[in-house]
Amino acid sequence: MGLDEDLEFEAGESAPPEVADDSERLTIDIDGWEGPLDLLLTLARTQKVDLRQISILQLVEQYLGFIENARALKLELAADYLVMAAWLAYLKSALLLPKDPEIDPSPEELALRLQLRLERLNAMRESGARLMARDRIGRDIFTRGAPEGLRVVRTTAWDCNFFELISAYGQIQARNAPVMHVVKRRAVMTLEEALDRVSAMLGHALDWTQLEAFLPPDAEPALRRSALASSFLAMLELAKQGRVELQQEANFGPLMVKSRAGAKA
Amino acid sequence: MMIEHDPAVRAVEATLFASEAPMTIEQIRAYVGEEVDVPGALGKLEEHYQGRGVELVKRGKTWHFQTAADLAHLLRREREESRKLSRAAVETLAIIAYHEPVSRAEIEAIRGVQISKGTLDVLMEAGWVRPAGRREVPGRPLIYATTGEFLTHFGLASRRDLPGLSDLKAAGLLDPVDLALEGLQGLSAVESGDMPEEGESELEIGEESA
Amino acid sequence: MMIEHDPAVRAVEATLFASEAPMTIEQIRAYVGEEVDVPGALGKLEEHYQGRGVELVKRGKTWHFQTAADLAHLLRREREESRKLSRAAVETLAIIAYHEPVSRAEIEAIRGVQISKGTLDVLMEAGWVRPAGRREVPGRPLIYATTGEFLTHFGLASRRDLPGLSDLKAAGLLDPVDLALEGLQGLSAVESGDMPEEGESELEIGEESA
């Protein structure tokens, strides 16, 4: 973990420390890397030149050598390190081979891209270290230790009007008033009434007549429902006595009634 | 142009400012160093801050900064908010107004529902209800009555101006239909209080600086 | 003898001293009153405290008092160091600060590695980073930016004060690789540009933190 600690940006340092040029430690430390680009940047810094002047070829060699070492030590390498190794091996061969204008992007451009990425990562790494090294609140600089604090005191203006007051009281009283249950009279036609009515009307119905024709014509809906039920029962009773004939063509179809000829003696 | 300030004064000033508690001269010295004339620096600071918005004060053996006492009113900001009285509170108020003086148990008997402590507190906070002594019965319960402010708020010359039951009935306010429609809505056996939630008195700045 | 001090200055001084958090001019005005010339008072206070052990500073839109930086050696508290940020978090914070607003994918492109779940969370929990809307590109990724608290914590009057920002800009190091590549067309990887040496930008930091 020695290298990892070296890379930790200690507060108080204005720039990242130089990485110790110690290849043995490089081969052993594998956990501390934040990805292949991080590893490449660390290797690049061992060249001890400005990043703009690094030798990409040398960097590729360093990286491939590192990976080889890691493999020899049977260290587990994450896939992206191996992908980077394969890509760098390709880049190396492309850089070494005679120039082929057909290849786009050219190996030089690929190398330049890699260098630009390293520069950018390095810039952010240094900036992060500079930020951390600044005089920070709570560490170097302090705000007031025991501020009295500012308070917002909320006062409540309670809202209630006169109507709300008295209607609330009315409701309490209504809630507490003794409750008396009265069953309302409902308009009904009894079976007896229906029998009388239907019997009286039957004499006029010598032809097939619909049951509804026997109901009181101007009855309210509630009375009409009651009359329908009791008139139906009355018809059944009269049919039983043999005084009427009933007929219905289909389920729920109109119920037809006819006075039985000669039945009325 | 920057004025050259006394390093001892600066050190003591910063130390006391950053401290979370008042400090003795010895405690200050532990920060600023043995060689610093702490009492001398404190004297200069005391003089410097005199009459400013912040003062250096000595309490017993300890020193600390505090905002000037005459500016304390600035540090509390009042904000008035209008809030609707809860249904439980309106009913309780109505019962007190019609039956005063009444005890809490009597209010509950009339309402048919328990009242929480917060409900009476709200009515007293609003200034409409006041404790009016104790009923001379076993347990000597507190009894409550309405206030002059109550009459003023509701535009009543006296409690006799409250409409009687027959008036309420004539106005349809005793109609059980109303009861069925809305009367029992939201009533539960024990009501939650009407007290403002605890978080409300939080520091304003904390909320706004987000 | 007590000197007569400007009431506006006293009020602003007391309010900022008492506050637990940095305050904007509007927040101060809410306490000291609409009629007070808050910016004027802040200007006078800033001048008055210059060079003292305690300073009045502006960070972003907020103002607060803090101890002078050069007294850090007296007051430094080591225990605060226990919560040291990971390398990933420091780099991510730097990328957000120097590139803001920036998406997660853009952060990952610079670092060459995925951000682990906790990294952004830690920065947001510290109050230094916040989501700042979405980028209007396919997928509408969230973008991140720094906060006022970030400026306060790191003692930056504004983002323009970020250490080395102008150098990084001039060197094109805040531009994406593709854009930089266009600018460098024809240059080979080995060629060095005529950019300032790295050492130059480091000098500046020493000055700024003084």
Side-chain angles (χ1 to χ4, degrees):
Chain A
M1 284 293 108
L3 186 62
D4 187 33
E5 275 167 28
D6 280 349
L7 281 172
E8 194 79 54
F9 296 146
E10 297 289 340
E13 285 169 325
S14 56
E18 286 299 317
V19 169
D21 191 6
D22 186 335
S23 55
E24 237 175 86
R25 279 163 70 189
L26 281 182
T27 54
I28 291 163
D29 285 315
I30 195 72
D31 293 333
W33 307 108
E34 299 249 353
L37 204 61
D38 180 29
L39 173 53
L40 272 170
L41 180 57
T42 309
L43 292 170
R45 296 179 70 95
T46 64
Q47 291 188 16
K48 301 225 176 202
V49 288
D50 189 303
L51 275 182
R52 285 183 297 267
Q53 293 162 356
I54 53 163
S55 156
I56 291 291
L57 265 181
Q58 193 189 327
L59 181 61
V60 171
E61 294 288 1
Q62 284 175 293
Y63 187 93
L64 296 177
F66 177 88
I67 297 294
E68 231 163 75
N69 263 324
R71 275 179 168 159
L73 291 167
K74 299 209 188 313
L75 293 174
E76 194 105 359
L77 278 174
D80 44 350
Y81 290 87
L82 302 178
V83 171
M84 177 63 90
W87 186 82
L88 288 175
Y90 160 78
L91 177 63
K92 176 184 164 188
S93 61
L95 285 170
L96 291 176
L97 286 171
K99 272 199 178 177
D100 182 350
E102 296 289 296
I103 298 177
D104 186 46
S106 67
E108 283 75 19
E109 188 186 323
L110 291 177
L112 180 58
R113 260 179 191 281
L114 177 59
Q115 185 222 317
L116 290 173
R117 288 189 69 189
L118 289 174
E119 270 183 39
R120 271 152 190 72
L121 177 59
N122 188 55
M124 284 303 105
R125 183 159 295 177
E126 289 182 349
S127 298
R130 288 176 192 172
L131 263 183
M132 291 298 138
R134 288 182 67 84
D135 287 323
R136 285 156 61 186
I137 300 255
R139 189 188 67 178
D140 313 288
I141 288 182
F142 296 86
T143 54
R144 189 154 173 227
E148 284 91 347
L150 299 171
R151 302 271 173 260
V152 175
V153 182
R154 286 187 170 87
T155 50
T156 308
W158 291 102
D159 177 25
C160 175
N161 64 35
F162 189 61
F163 177 75
E164 286 164 341
L165 183 75
I166 60 171
S167 65
Y169 190 69
Q171 290 194 4
I172 296 163
Q173 289 301 332
R175 212 155 68 209
N176 293 344
V179 182
M180 190 162 45
H181 294 282
V182 180
V183 179
K184 204 172 169 184
R185 273 189 72 86
R186 290 168 57 203
V188 290
M189 181 183 281
T190 61
L191 180 56
E192 288 72 25
E193 284 175 296
L195 261 178
D196 290 349
R197 184 181 164 85
V198 172
S199 304
M201 291 176 75
L202 257 182
H204 310 284
L206 299 175
D207 225 343
W208 287 107
T209 310
Q210 204 171 323
L211 172 65
E212 279 80 358
F214 295 91
L215 303 182
D218 47 1
E220 288 174 9
L223 177 60
R224 195 176 162 83
R225 269 202 308 280
S226 169
L228 179 64
S230 42
S231 299
F232 173 64
L233 286 174
M235 291 298 182
L236 291 178
E237 179 62 27
L238 291 172
K240 197 172 144 198
Q241 294 173 12
R243 292 169 59 189
V244 297
E245 283 179 54
L246 296 175
Q247 184 181 317
Q248 189 178 29
E249 302 248 321
N251 285 345
F252 303 109
L255 197 65
M256 306 305 284
V257 187
K258 187 179 157 203
S259 180
R260 204 160 175 186
K264 203 170 180 181
Chain B
M1 211 211 76
M2 195 180 283
I3 310 143
E4 270 309 309
H5 287 287
D6 181 344
V9 172
R10 293 185 74 227
V12 173
E13 186 180 31
T15 303
L16 268 183
F17 172 84
S19 173
E20 283 157 19
M23 296 174 95
T24 63
I25 288 176
E26 288 67 37
Q27 285 169 332
I28 298 170
R29 195 172 278 138
Y31 279 90
V32 300
E34 287 302 320
E35 69 289 356
V36 172
D37 172 17
V38 176
L42 284 170
K44 285 180 194 166
L45 280 173
E46 197 176 13
E47 196 181 323
H48 173 82
Y49 277 97
Q50 208 167 54
R52 299 195 60 89
V54 174
E55 289 167 350
L56 180 64
V57 293
K58 187 186 181 189
R59 293 270 179 276
K61 288 182 175 174
T62 61
W63 294 79
H64 69 275
F65 282 114
Q66 68 177 30
T67 53
D70 66 312
L71 296 176
H73 65 278
L74 289 179
L75 312 185
R76 284 163 48 94
R77 186 148 65 93
E78 303 234 341
R79 182 186 274 183
E80 190 170 89
E81 282 166 352
S82 176
R83 280 184 71 181
K84 201 114 188 95
L85 216 51
S86 73
R87 172 150 197 93
V90 178
E91 288 192 8
T92 305
L93 179 62
I95 292 167
I96 296 172
Y98 275 90
H99 297 266
E100 76 176 47
V102 281
S103 69
R104 183 180 171 139
E106 289 159 357
I107 297 169
E108 288 175 347
I110 297 169
R111 270 193 82 211
V113 180
Q114 281 196 313
I115 52 173
S116 69
K117 180 157 178 350
T119 305
L120 278 166
D121 288 349
V122 163
L123 295 174
M124 288 194 273
E125 185 201 316
W128 295 335
V129 164
R130 64 186 163 86
R134 292 182 181 275
R135 171 105 56 233
E136 289 307 332
V137 296
R140 303 186 68 243
L142 262 179
I143 48 180
Y144 299 91
T146 53
T147 61
E149 239 174 281
F150 166 82
L151 296 176
T152 312
H153 179 90
F154 291 98
L156 300 167
S158 83
R159 276 187 56 245
R160 280 193 298 275
D161 288 358
L162 282 171
L165 279 183
S166 53
D167 301 316
L168 293 179
K169 188 170 190 151
L173 291 174
L174 292 182
D175 202 336
V177 176
D178 287 344
L179 178 65
L181 286 181
E182 53 167 339
L184 288 169
Q185 265 171 15
L187 282 183
S188 68
V190 179
E191 266 133 358
S192 61
D194 306 294
M195 298 302 288
E197 281 159 46
E198 269 190 48
E200 285 189 18
S201 53
E202 260 180 3
L203 233 198
E204 179 80 7
I205 300 158
E207 292 166 3
E208 286 181 1
S209 65
Chain C
M1 211 213 75
M2 193 181 285
I3 309 144
E4 269 309 307
H5 288 286
D6 180 344
V9 171
R10 288 187 77 224
V12 173
E13 186 180 30
T15 303
L16 272 181
F17 248 79
S19 175
E20 283 154 351
M23 295 176 89
T24 64
I25 287 176
E26 288 69 35
Q27 287 170 336
I28 297 169
R29 194 172 280 136
Y31 283 87
V32 299
E34 287 301 321
E35 68 289 354
V36 172
D37 172 19
V38 176
L42 285 169
K44 284 178 195 165
L45 281 171
E46 195 177 18
E47 199 180 320
H48 173 83
Y49 277 94
Q50 209 169 52
R52 298 194 62 87
V54 173
E55 293 170 342
L56 178 64
V57 292
K58 184 186 184 191
R59 301 287 180 245
K61 288 179 179 171
T62 61
W63 294 78
H64 70 273
F65 282 109
Q66 64 178 32
T67 57
D70 66 314
L71 299 173
H73 63 284
L74 296 178
L75 306 168
R76 189 165 284 139
R77 287 171 204 178
E78 295 302 329
R79 64 189 162 85
E80 300 290 337
E81 286 281 51
S82 60
R83 229 187 50 187
K84 203 155 82 176
L85 284 185
S86 70
R87 194 148 58 98
V90 173
E91 275 179 30
T92 303
L93 177 63
I95 292 169
I96 294 172
Y98 284 81
H99 291 81
E100 75 175 49
V102 67
S103 72
R104 192 183 173 110
E106 288 156 0
I107 298 169
E108 289 175 345
I110 294 172
R111 296 194 63 229
V113 69
Q114 286 200 321
I115 306 182
S116 67
K117 189 141 184 8
T119 306
L120 277 166
D121 290 359
V122 163
L123 296 175
M124 288 195 272
E125 196 192 326
W128 296 338
V129 164
R130 66 183 163 89
R134 293 183 180 275
R135 173 108 54 232
E136 288 305 332
V137 296
R140 302 188 70 242
L142 262 181
I143 47 180
Y144 297 90
T146 53
T147 62
E149 273 175 87
F150 166 80
L151 297 178
T152 301
H153 182 89
F154 290 99
L156 300 163
S158 78
R159 271 193 66 243
R160 280 190 298 275
D161 282 4
L162 282 169
L165 181 69
S166 49
D167 289 335
L168 291 175
K169 256 191 193 150
L173 286 172
L174 300 181
D175 298 332
V177 168
D178 285 328
L179 200 68
L181 209 56
E182 276 173 39
L184 287 174
Q185 257 172 2
L187 287 181
S188 90
V190 216
E191 268 171 338
S192 68
D194 48 354
M195 290 156 186
E197 290 291 308
E198 263 188 66
E200 286 184 20
S201 52
E202 273 165 31
L203 263 182
E204 209 181 72
I205 304 153
E207 290 166 3
E208 276 179 9
S209 62

